[in-house]
Amino acid sequence: MTLRDDAHEIIKYAIDAVLPEYAVQEQLRKKPCKGRVILVSIGKAAWRMAKAAVDILGDQVVQGIVITKYNHSQGPIPHLVVREAGHPLLDENSLEATSEALQMTQNLTANDEVLFLVSGGGSALFEKPKEGVCLGDFVDITDQMLRCGANIVEINMIRKRLSAVKGGQFAKWVAPATIYSIVLSDVLGDRLDSIASGPAYPDSTTSAQALDIISRYKIDVKPELIEILKEETPKAIDNVETFITGSVRTLCDKAAEKATELGYQSYILTTTLQCEAKEAGSFLASIAVEESEFCRPVKLPCAIILGGETVVHLKGKGKGGRNQEMALAAALNIQGMPNIVFASVGSDGTDGPTDAAGGIVDGQTVQKIRESGGNPYALLENNDAYNALEMCNSLIKTGPTGTNVNDLTVLLVKDV
């Protein structure tokens, strides 16, 4: 087994360990649903979460809907309508699917229960704009924020104020029915008011904070939308019970577990990585060099594990994602070193607007890019990590995994 083989095995094991069906079924066994159930499942992991719930509840689910990203569903589920829509930018299918969900959950009584399954990606997939807000407004503002490097909490703080179903407003819609919410977290710190923009959770953020973000990132917003952003979201909700079933911490724990099994000294450096992607790649490469030359801070062979979600400030016009950019930046700083491998992936199987989950690089990566006619420095500057890594067979492609708990980075260093 090579270092690359080990990195792939560690990543696969960790992602398999956080697939949502086991956690959903365990939670439903601990706390069963009562009476008739209307099921609403949103996010990139929506299909697997919904399938697990129906397998447990059976005919107790009288109707429901799954709203997930394109190519993330895996077929029909009894009692449920399955819809696919846009992500990271919502589209007309997002609005139509959400309209179906709202029709299914209108005029409910106190005897009804909504099983609300939430995973990352729900902000784009589950949406009804407020009056005066159109689809184009959501797409434009989200695109601007993604390009300027805003993090997911900041983006969701804006989106929930333009929405009629976010920031606790879906919970208000289904009242007096109760909501039993099971959440797969893709937000650092497991902030329930930010995961999928918190449709069934009271919002802890304020309009003043939202307006500060608009100002700080210099987002171009129409004057009428500024007035809508000033409207406050619900701060108290009494008809929802929420449980978190998985997070990036579990992802990293399982990666470390497999690395230890493979013979590495495993060390989880952080589960809250959040900075510029290429800066993270350069920094982690410097740790690898320190390990290789001085065998510190961990004895060799070692596996340094990180979880979180970096950002990319788009300056070029290339193709890529944050994990690919991090990998390419790391490759530039470990050139010629035969004993280091760096891999980083999105746990959902997608990284940016590409078909890759991330990238894996080593000491030969930069030379291979050059031999293929590429300039790795120029490619990184153009935010073109996808094409750079494709030149040297260094993209990781898993396809949709069915889960979504942030990103996983694995740094392996062995004795020379």
Side-chain angles (χ1 to χ4, degrees), residues 211-227:
L211 293 172
D212 177 67
I213 289 170
I214 294 294
S215 175
R216 178 153 37 95
Y217 287 113
K218 298 180 173 58
I219 305 300
D220 184 20
V221 179
K222 294 186 295 189
E224 55 267 34
L225 296 184
I226 293 293
E227 294 305 311

Side-chain angles (χ1 to χ4, degrees), residues 94-161:
S94 307
L95 305 188
E96 291 177 9
T98 303
S99 179
E100 285 187 80
L102 295 176
Q103 290 172 18
M104 290 179 184
T105 53
Q106 67 181 344
N107 302 322
L108 299 181
T109 71
N111 294 322
D112 294 317
E113 185 169 35
V114 176
L115 178 59
F116 191 39
L117 307 177
V118 181
S119 57
S123 287
L125 297 164
F126 185 66
E127 190 55 83
K128 178 184 178 182
K130 281 184 177 177
E131 186 175 348
V133 183
C134 68
L135 173 61
D137 296 327
F138 270 99
V139 172
D140 176 55
I141 292 173
T142 302
D143 185 53
Q144 288 186 64
M145 296 193 73
L146 287 169
R147 287 182 171 277
C148 73
N151 64 42
I152 189 63
V153 173
E154 293 170 327
I155 293 171
N156 287 352
M157 199 183 303
I158 303 302
R159 291 196 288 202
K160 71 179 68 173
R161 283 174 167 74

